[in-house]
Amino acid sequence: MLIDIKFASICHSDIHQMKGDWGKQVYPQVPGHEIVGIVREIGKNVTKFKVGDRAGVGCMVDTDLNSCKNGGEQYCKDTIFT
């Protein structure tokens, strides 16, 4: 799915990243990994969205919460961070 990004948010992890709190940084950087936009294109397997829909992407995607005993998406072994 291709999303035309309209807004991106800066969260606390972006601030840590920009300050180098998690290790040496390579600049320039563009913070803001949580987005909202309009769907421009979809693939053949996309069923929940259509072109023109609003869509948002949080900091974690593609997680099967059913596999997480405590429901904490951030602790799932299959979490993919944006």
Side-chain angles (χ1 to χ4, degrees):
M1 187 165 80
L2 180 63
I3 301 171
D4 284 329
I5 299 171
K6 301 299 181 185
F7 302 96
S9 65
I10 305 297
C11 69
H12 202 71
S13 62
D14 293 307
I15 294 168
H16 283 297
Q17 180 76 18
M18 296 302 291
K19 287 182 167 184
D21 293 341
W22 296 333
K24 185 175 177 173
Q25 297 303 300
V26 177
Y27 295 100
Q29 292 185 23
V30 180
H33 61 168
E34 297 160 329
I35 63 167
V36 174
I38 305 297
V39 176
R40 186 194 322 171
E41 296 177 21
I42 59 171
K44 65 180 180 179
N45 295 323
V46 176
T47 59
K48 295 182 180 180
F49 293 90
K50 65 183 183 308
V51 172
D53 283 350
R54 290 185 189 140
V57 179
C59 64
M60 293 169 262
V61 297
D62 289 342
T63 301
D64 178 7
L65 288 179
N66 293 325
S67 67
C68 302
K69 291 180 182 175
N70 67 356
E73 187 175 34
Q74 70 274 21
Y75 301 116
C76 296
K77 65 181 180 178
D78 61 344
T79 294
I80 298 172
F81 294 93
T82 58

